[in-house]
Amino acid sequence: MGPPGAGKGTQAKRLAERFDMDHLSSGDIFRAEKDSGSQLGRKLGEYMSAGQLVPDETVVEVMAGAITRCTAAGGLLLDGFPRTVPQASALDEQLDKAGKPLDAVVVMTAEDDLIVKRITGRRTCGKCGKIYHLTFMPPRKDNVCDACGSELTQRADDTEQVVRERLETYYKQTEPVIAYYRDRDGLKVIDVDGGGEADDVLAEMVVEFDKLRANC
Ligand code: AMP
């Protein structure tokens, strides 16, 4: 969990690879649906481009289906979901039924000004999803993905105005979810400063994940 631009997507991809986990990003799932041009996708796009949250019923339905299809040996890493308390309690219900409750919650933080700088410079490969930054992590060749050679694009909701909206939405609706998890006995909450270099942040998280694995 963490505000937009704290580094959730970047780190979740790397951690999932390293620990053989399924990585489910609600934002990626919604963007793919939007790009498919479906009726649901058009509706999702309206919320996303305004920096608002997609309604809980839709999120829970889509994510519950996606979670059911996860099979990786190392488990499941959720990125961007849940983002409201009702989503979190629907997730609890599903995981309890499956007999696989949450092991840990990772909370990433970063300063608003850094977030705005990070997000407005962010570019993503349209094909393989690799994430770059014009200043902090530029591709070797302008606008071309190092990994697969495809064109890099900017997300429609990565403008400063929409980022400020997304931050406000985060503080109002998603921060209470962190309190909801902190109050739970026996659930490990891992706090990470997402403001550092991506490799250092990853290293810190790997240490925590190793500890978790050792206790599972
Ligand atoms: P992200 O890529 O995680 O920043 O998500 C991009 C956008 O997708 C968000 O600004 C929301 O509009 C929507 N979205 C992603 N995950 C959720 C969620 N769990 N609940 C509601 N809306 C979401």
Coordinates of all heavy atoms in Angstrom, one line a residue, residues 93-146:
E93 N -12.9 -11.4 3.8 CA -13.9 -12.5 3.7 C -13.5 -13.5 2.7 O -13.5 -14.7 3.0 CB -15.2 -11.8 3.3 CG -16.4 -12.5 3.8 CD -17.7 -11.7 3.4 OE1 -17.8 -10.6 3.9 OE2 -18.4 -12.2 2.6
Q94 N -13.0 -13.1 1.5 CA -12.6 -14.1 0.5 C -11.4 -14.9 1.0 O -11.4 -16.1 0.8 CB -12.3 -13.3 -0.8 CG -11.9 -14.3 -1.9 CD -11.5 -13.6 -3.2 OE1 -11.5 -12.4 -3.3 NE2 -11.3 -14.4 -4.3
L95 N -10.4 -14.2 1.6 CA -9.2 -15.0 2.0 C -9.5 -15.9 3.1 O -9.0 -17.0 3.2 CB -8.1 -14.0 2.3 CG -7.6 -13.1 1.2 CD1 -6.4 -12.2 1.7 CD2 -7.1 -13.9 0.0
D96 N -10.4 -15.5 4.0 CA -10.7 -16.3 5.2 C -11.4 -17.6 4.7 O -11.2 -18.7 5.1 CB -11.7 -15.6 6.2 CG -10.9 -14.6 7.0 OD1 -9.6 -14.7 7.0 OD2 -11.5 -13.7 7.7
K97 N -12.4 -17.4 3.7 CA -13.1 -18.6 3.1 C -12.1 -19.5 2.5 O -12.2 -20.7 2.6 CB -14.0 -18.1 2.1 CG -15.4 -17.9 2.6 CD -16.4 -17.8 1.4 CE -17.6 -16.9 1.9 NZ -18.2 -16.1 0.9
A98 N -11.1 -19.0 1.9 CA -10.1 -19.8 1.2 C -9.0 -20.4 2.2 O -8.2 -21.2 1.8 CB -9.3 -19.0 0.1
G99 N -9.1 -20.0 3.5 CA -8.2 -20.4 4.5 C -6.8 -19.9 4.3 O -5.8 -20.5 4.7
K100 N -6.7 -18.7 3.6 CA -5.4 -18.2 3.3 C -5.3 -16.7 3.7 O -5.3 -15.8 2.8 CB -5.0 -18.3 1.9 CG -4.9 -19.8 1.4 CD -4.6 -19.9 -0.1 CE -4.4 -21.3 -0.5 NZ -4.3 -21.4 -1.9
P101 N -5.4 -16.4 5.0 CA -5.4 -15.0 5.4 C -4.1 -14.2 5.0 O -3.1 -14.9 4.7 CB -5.6 -15.0 6.9 CG -5.2 -16.4 7.3 CD -5.4 -17.3 6.1
L102 N -4.2 -12.9 5.1 CA -3.0 -12.1 4.8 C -1.8 -12.4 5.7 O -2.0 -12.6 6.9 CB -3.3 -10.6 4.9 CG -4.2 -9.9 3.9 CD1 -4.4 -8.5 4.4 CD2 -3.6 -10.0 2.5
D103 N -0.6 -12.5 5.1 CA 0.6 -12.7 6.0 C 1.1 -11.3 6.4 O 1.7 -11.2 7.5 CB 1.7 -13.4 5.2 CG 1.3 -14.8 4.8 OD1 0.9 -15.5 5.8 OD2 1.3 -15.2 3.7
A104 N 1.1 -10.3 5.5 CA 1.7 -9.1 5.8 C 1.1 -8.0 4.9 O 0.6 -8.2 3.9 CB 3.2 -9.2 5.6
V105 N 1.3 -6.7 5.4 CA 0.9 -5.6 4.6 C 2.2 -4.7 4.5 O 2.8 -4.4 5.6 CB -0.2 -4.8 5.3 CG1 -0.5 -3.5 4.5 CG2 -1.5 -5.6 5.4
V106 N 2.5 -4.3 3.3 CA 3.7 -3.4 3.2 C 3.2 -2.0 3.0 O 2.3 -1.8 2.1 CB 4.6 -3.8 2.0 CG1 5.8 -2.9 1.8 CG2 5.0 -5.2 2.1
V107 N 3.6 -1.0 3.8 CA 3.2 0.4 3.6 C 4.3 1.2 3.1 O 5.4 1.3 3.9 CB 2.6 0.9 5.0 CG1 2.2 2.4 4.8 CG2 1.5 0.1 5.5
M108 N 4.2 1.8 2.0 CA 5.3 2.6 1.4 C 4.9 4.1 1.5 O 3.7 4.4 1.3 CB 5.5 2.3 -0.1 CG 5.9 0.8 -0.3 SD 6.3 0.5 -2.0 CE 7.8 1.3 -2.2
T109 N 5.8 4.9 1.9 CA 5.5 6.4 2.0 C 6.5 7.2 1.1 O 7.5 6.7 0.7 CB 5.7 6.9 3.4 OG1 7.0 6.4 3.9 CG2 4.6 6.4 4.3
A110 N 6.1 8.4 0.7 CA 7.0 9.3 0.0 C 6.3 10.7 0.1 O 5.1 10.8 0.3 CB 7.1 8.9 -1.4
E111 N 7.2 11.7 0.1 CA 6.7 13.1 0.2 C 5.9 13.5 -1.1 O 6.2 13.1 -2.2 CB 7.9 14.1 0.2 CG 8.8 13.9 1.4 CD 8.1 14.4 2.7 OE1 7.2 15.3 2.6 OE2 8.4 13.8 3.7
D112 N 4.8 14.3 -0.9 CA 4.0 14.7 -2.1 C 4.8 15.3 -3.2 O 4.5 15.0 -4.4 CB 2.9 15.8 -1.6 CG 1.8 15.1 -0.8 OD1 1.9 13.9 -0.5 OD2 0.8 15.8 -0.6
D113 N 5.7 16.2 -2.9 CA 6.5 16.9 -4.0 C 7.3 15.9 -4.8 O 7.4 16.0 -6.1 CB 7.4 18.0 -3.5 CG 6.6 19.2 -3.1 OD1 5.4 19.2 -3.5 OD2 7.1 20.1 -2.4
L114 N 7.9 14.9 -4.1 CA 8.6 13.9 -4.8 C 7.7 13.0 -5.7 O 8.0 12.7 -6.8 CB 9.4 13.0 -3.8 CG 10.1 11.8 -4.4 CD1 11.3 12.3 -5.3 CD2 10.7 10.9 -3.3
I115 N 6.5 12.7 -5.1 CA 5.5 11.9 -5.9 C 5.2 12.6 -7.2 O 5.1 12.0 -8.2 CB 4.3 11.7 -5.0 CG1 4.6 10.7 -3.9 CG2 3.1 11.3 -5.8 CD1 3.6 10.6 -2.8
V116 N 4.9 13.9 -7.1 CA 4.5 14.6 -8.3 C 5.6 14.6 -9.3 O 5.4 14.3 -10.5 CB 4.1 16.1 -8.0 CG1 3.9 16.9 -9.2 CG2 2.8 16.1 -7.1
K117 N 6.8 14.8 -8.9 CA 8.0 14.7 -9.8 C 8.1 13.4 -10.4 O 8.3 13.2 -11.6 CB 9.2 15.0 -9.0 CG 10.3 15.7 -9.7 CD 11.3 16.3 -8.7 CE 12.6 16.6 -9.2 NZ 13.5 16.9 -8.1
R118 N 8.0 12.3 -9.6 CA 8.1 11.0 -10.1 C 7.0 10.6 -11.1 O 7.3 10.1 -12.1 CB 8.0 10.0 -8.9 CG 9.2 9.7 -8.1 CD 9.0 8.7 -7.1 NE 10.2 8.3 -6.4 CZ 10.2 7.5 -5.4 NH1 9.0 7.0 -4.9 NH2 11.3 7.2 -4.8
I119 N 5.8 11.0 -10.8 CA 4.7 10.5 -11.6 C 4.7 11.3 -12.9 O 4.4 10.6 -14.0 CB 3.4 10.7 -10.9 CG1 3.3 9.7 -9.7 CG2 2.2 10.5 -11.8 CD1 2.0 9.5 -9.1
T120 N 4.9 12.6 -12.9 CA 4.8 13.3 -14.2 C 6.0 12.9 -15.1 O 5.8 13.0 -16.3 CB 4.8 14.8 -14.0 OG1 5.9 15.2 -13.1 CG2 3.5 15.3 -13.3
G121 N 7.1 12.3 -14.6 CA 8.2 11.9 -15.5 C 8.1 10.4 -15.8 O 9.0 9.9 -16.5
R122 N 7.1 9.7 -15.3 CA 7.0 8.3 -15.5 C 6.6 7.9 -16.9 O 5.7 8.5 -17.5 CB 6.0 7.7 -14.5 CG 5.7 6.3 -14.6 CD 5.1 5.7 -13.3 NE 3.7 6.1 -13.1 CZ 3.1 5.8 -12.0 NH1 3.6 5.1 -11.0 NH2 1.8 6.2 -11.9
R123 N 7.2 6.9 -17.4 CA 6.9 6.4 -18.8 C 6.8 4.9 -18.6 O 7.6 4.3 -17.9 CB 7.9 6.8 -19.8 CG 8.0 8.2 -20.1 CD 6.8 8.9 -20.7 NE 6.9 10.3 -21.0 CZ 6.7 11.2 -20.1 NH1 6.3 10.9 -18.8 NH2 6.8 12.5 -20.4
T124 N 5.9 4.2 -19.4 CA 5.7 2.8 -19.3 C 5.8 2.2 -20.6 O 5.3 2.7 -21.6 CB 4.3 2.5 -18.6 OG1 4.2 3.3 -17.5 CG2 4.2 1.0 -18.2
C125 N 6.3 1.0 -20.7 CA 6.3 0.3 -22.0 C 5.0 -0.3 -22.2 O 4.4 -1.0 -21.4 CB 7.4 -0.9 -22.0 SG 7.2 -1.9 -23.4
G126 N 4.4 0.0 -23.4 CA 3.1 -0.4 -23.7 C 3.0 -1.9 -23.9 O 1.9 -2.5 -23.8
K127 N 4.1 -2.6 -24.1 CA 4.1 -4.0 -24.4 C 4.4 -4.8 -23.2 O 3.6 -5.6 -22.7 CB 5.0 -4.3 -25.5 CG 4.7 -5.7 -26.1 CD 5.5 -5.8 -27.5 CE 5.4 -7.3 -27.9 NZ 6.5 -7.6 -28.8
C128 N 5.6 -4.6 -22.6 CA 6.0 -5.5 -21.5 C 5.7 -4.9 -20.1 O 5.9 -5.5 -19.1 CB 7.4 -5.9 -21.6 SG 8.6 -4.6 -21.2
G129 N 5.3 -3.6 -20.1 CA 4.9 -3.0 -18.8 C 6.1 -2.5 -18.0 O 5.9 -1.9 -16.9
K130 N 7.3 -2.5 -18.5 CA 8.5 -2.0 -17.7 C 8.3 -0.5 -17.5 O 7.9 0.2 -18.4 CB 9.8 -2.4 -18.5 CG 11.0 -2.2 -17.6 CD 12.2 -2.9 -18.4 CE 13.5 -2.5 -17.9 NZ 14.0 -2.2 -16.7
I131 N 8.7 -0.1 -16.3 CA 8.5 1.3 -15.9 C 9.8 2.1 -15.9 O 10.8 1.6 -15.4 CB 7.8 1.4 -14.5 CG1 6.5 0.6 -14.5 CG2 7.6 2.8 -14.1 CD1 5.9 0.4 -13.1
Y132 N 9.8 3.3 -16.5 CA 11.0 4.1 -16.6 C 10.6 5.5 -16.0 O 9.5 5.8 -15.7 CB 11.4 4.3 -18.1 CG 11.8 3.1 -18.7 CD1 10.9 2.2 -19.3 CD2 13.1 2.7 -18.8 CE1 11.2 1.0 -19.9 CE2 13.5 1.5 -19.4 CZ 12.6 0.7 -20.0 OH 12.9 -0.5 -20.6
H133 N 11.7 6.3 -15.8 CA 11.5 7.7 -15.5 C 12.4 8.6 -16.3 O 13.6 8.2 -16.4 CB 11.7 8.0 -14.0 CG 11.3 9.3 -13.5 ND1 12.1 10.4 -13.7 CD2 10.1 9.7 -12.9 CE1 11.4 11.5 -13.3 NE2 10.2 11.1 -12.8
L134 N 11.9 9.7 -16.8 CA 12.7 10.5 -17.7 C 14.0 10.9 -17.1 O 15.0 11.0 -17.7 CB 11.9 11.8 -18.2 CG 10.7 11.5 -19.0 CD1 10.0 12.8 -19.4 CD2 11.0 10.7 -20.3
T135 N 14.0 11.2 -15.8 CA 15.2 11.7 -15.1 C 15.8 10.6 -14.3 O 17.1 10.4 -14.3 CB 14.9 12.8 -14.1 OG1 14.0 13.7 -14.8 CG2 16.1 13.6 -13.7
F136 N 15.0 9.9 -13.5 CA 15.6 8.9 -12.5 C 15.9 7.6 -13.0 O 16.8 6.9 -12.5 CB 14.6 8.7 -11.3 CG 14.2 10.0 -10.6 CD1 12.9 10.3 -10.3 CD2 15.1 11.0 -10.3 CE1 12.5 11.4 -9.7 CE2 14.8 12.2 -9.7 CZ 13.4 12.4 -9.4
M137 N 15.3 7.1 -14.1 CA 15.5 5.8 -14.7 C 15.3 5.8 -16.2 O 14.3 5.2 -16.7 CB 14.6 4.8 -14.0 CG 15.2 3.4 -13.8 SD 14.0 2.2 -13.3 CE 13.6 2.7 -11.6
P138 N 16.1 6.6 -16.9 CA 15.7 6.8 -18.3 C 16.1 5.5 -19.1 O 17.0 4.8 -18.8 CB 16.7 8.0 -18.8 CG 17.7 8.0 -17.7 CD 17.2 7.4 -16.5
P139 N 15.4 5.3 -20.2 CA 15.7 4.2 -21.1 C 17.0 4.5 -21.8 O 17.4 5.7 -21.9 CB 14.6 4.1 -22.1 CG 14.0 5.5 -22.1 CD 14.2 6.1 -20.8
R140 N 17.7 3.5 -22.4 CA 19.0 3.8 -23.1 C 18.7 4.7 -24.3 O 19.5 5.6 -24.6 CB 19.7 2.5 -23.5 CG 20.3 1.8 -22.3 CD 21.3 0.7 -22.8 NE 20.6 -0.4 -23.4 CZ 20.1 -1.5 -22.7 NH1 20.3 -1.5 -21.4 NH2 19.5 -2.4 -23.3
K141 N 17.6 4.4 -25.0 CA 17.3 5.2 -26.2 C 16.0 5.9 -25.9 O 15.0 5.2 -25.4 CB 17.1 4.2 -27.4 CG 17.1 4.9 -28.7 CD 17.3 3.8 -29.8 CE 16.7 4.4 -31.1 NZ 16.2 3.4 -32.0
D142 N 15.9 7.2 -26.3 CA 14.7 8.0 -26.0 C 13.4 7.2 -26.4 O 13.3 6.8 -27.5 CB 14.8 9.3 -26.7 CG 15.5 10.3 -26.0 OD1 16.0 10.0 -24.9 OD2 15.6 11.5 -26.5
N143 N 12.5 7.1 -25.4 CA 11.2 6.6 -25.7 C 11.1 5.2 -26.2 O 10.0 4.8 -26.7 CB 10.5 7.5 -26.7 CG 9.2 8.1 -26.2 OD1 9.0 8.1 -25.0 ND2 8.3 8.5 -27.1
V144 N 12.1 4.4 -26.0 CA 12.1 3.0 -26.5 C 12.5 2.1 -25.3 O 13.4 2.4 -24.5 CB 13.1 2.8 -27.6 CG1 13.2 1.3 -28.0 CG2 12.8 3.7 -28.8
C145 N 11.7 1.0 -25.1 CA 11.9 0.1 -24.0 C 13.2 -0.7 -24.1 O 13.4 -1.3 -25.2 CB 10.7 -0.8 -23.9 SG 10.9 -2.1 -22.6
D146 N 14.1 -0.6 -23.1 CA 15.4 -1.4 -23.1 C 15.1 -2.9 -23.3 O 15.8 -3.6 -23.9 CB 16.1 -1.2 -21.8 CG 16.6 0.2 -21.6 OD1 16.5 1.0 -22.5 OD2 17.0 0.5 -20.5

